[in-house]
Amino acid sequence: FSEAMDFTNMLVADAKTTASGQTLQSATLALLLTKANYVPSADKKSLTMNLTNISTADLNKEMSVKLYNIKDLAGNNIVNDPITVVFKTDNTLKPQAKLLSLERIEYNKLTATFDKPIKTPGLIVVNNESVAGVISPSDLTKVNYTLSAASAQLTGYQKVYIGFWEGYNVLPNDTTADVLIEKYVNFSVNNLLPLPAPVSVTQAPNDNNVLLVQFNQKLDETTAENKSNYSISGAVIAAAELTNTTSGGTVKLTLQQGSLSATKTYTLTISGVKGYNNSYQEMNPYQLSLYLKENAAPELASFYYVYPNSIVLAFNEALAGTPSFTVIQNNVNIASYSYINGTTVVIILSNTPEAGKSMQLLPNSSNVIQDLSGNKTNSVLSRTVN
């Protein structure tokens, strides 16, 4: 896909062969229709399906499935839903996978790239240490080798031995990968790649003033928390905070309240952010169009008593929520219930208040007054009503 996608509600249906008159075994149909067999990549831009357990009777048949309800991270359905995916297996014997490159792409990691998918990752020997490989879940042609703390400090060109990998359906007499091959790898930091773009940017579900920027890589704290590295067309970023550093990095962007003047599409630009401990160079400038809700909180314009038994709070925009108030007169709560009516909150009193004596209006802890975009009011609601 061209951007990160949400596969939460994806449905798989209509599994079949594309050839007229052919059918699929029940075990194959079950595999193709099981959503759990479709694994999203780390950046959520692709799906991988493991067909290792397909029925042998269905090998090398061309098949198709339909994928429904795939959305982008803003909740928009993909164009031409459902997607029809056509594919086939290939178990013919082939030459061993060839090593195309071995590079240091992160501070503590070497990555080998092969000309075809890898079944067994093999190992490397560097700095007199043996390191087992791990196949990348998002790209089966890549194998990652995690360096020790000592090896990660090396710079310049280093001798690395690599071998004992295996591709799929390899010819039995092809033993070209059954030895250690000598390579020279540039370990200098300047050889590292730019930090990849974030995998998702979302507006916090309960706070329109907050954007959550999710990276799959650990981030350099100083550059991640530099608010000048982020900009949103027409809005003001008040703060940037790195909130998750375990395996990836989530940056919490706090917007100045009211700077999102309307619910519409805005352009977010990110630049200058680096990887943790020199694991990635500064990222390339990144732009993303985001559909964001406005973040201007409703304001209390006026409040007044209406004879015989109500108090009205008038705001500057239409409201939603569940108002709840206490009204004290003569040390007694005379509030009965409250409700929203367009741009006003109406508080019904249990009886007509005593004339000439003020009432103390107090919001209860359960009081929720917000606009139709979910912005809660910041206005002071504890008032004296005459």
Side-chain angles (χ1 to χ4, degrees), residues 194-257:
L195 176 72
V199 293
S200 70
V201 181
T202 56
Q203 194 169 26
N206 299 316
D207 189 347
N208 293 346
N209 298 315
V210 172
L211 296 185
L212 300 174
V213 184
Q214 175 67 51
F215 291 82
N216 272 349
Q217 296 74 29
K218 292 182 66 174
L219 304 179
D220 167 65
E221 183 175 2
T222 300
T223 57
E225 294 191 336
N226 183 353
K227 67 180 182 181
S228 64
N229 285 337
Y230 311 86
S231 65
I232 298 177
S233 55
V236 177
I237 297 175
E241 178 187 1
L242 184 59
T243 62
N244 176 20
T245 59
T246 303
S247 57
T250 301
V251 179
K252 175 184 176 183
L253 297 181
T254 301
L255 309 181
Q256 180 177 303
Q257 190 165 59

Side-chain angles (χ1 to χ4, degrees), residues 159-194:
K159 186 183 295 185
V160 180
Y161 296 93
I162 181 171
F164 302 105
W165 69 83
E166 184 182 1
Y168 285 89
N169 306 321
V170 178
L171 290 163
N173 60 350
D174 190 335
T175 60
T176 54
D178 295 346
V179 294
L180 287 173
I181 300 170
E182 182 180 291
K183 294 288 183 180
Y184 281 86
V185 178
N186 187 354
F187 271 56
S188 296
V189 171
N190 291 336
N191 192 45
L192 303 185
L193 295 177

Side-chain angles (χ1 to χ4, degrees), residues 289-355:
S289 294
L290 287 171
Y291 187 76
L292 301 175
K293 295 180 180 179
E294 57 89 9
N295 70 336
E299 299 178 2
L300 180 64
S302 62
F303 59 97
Y304 46 90
Y305 165 64
V306 178
Y307 182 85
N309 65 338
S310 62
I311 296 173
V312 174
L313 305 179
F315 288 80
N316 66 333
E317 61 179 312
L319 302 174
T322 308
S324 178
F325 288 88
T326 294
V327 179
I328 302 295
Q329 188 182 61
N330 297 327
N331 295 320
V332 176
N333 180 18
I334 60 173
S336 178
Y337 62 93
S338 308
Y339 64 91
I340 289 173
N341 181 21
T343 61
T344 64
V345 174
V346 180
I347 304 168
I348 301 300
L349 307 176
S350 57
N351 52 60
T352 301
E354 184 176 344

Side-chain angles (χ1 to χ4, degrees), residues 91-102:
N91 69 336
T92 57
L93 295 178
K94 302 172 181 65
Q96 179 64 270
K98 293 181 180 180
L99 177 66
L100 299 179
S101 63
L102 181 61

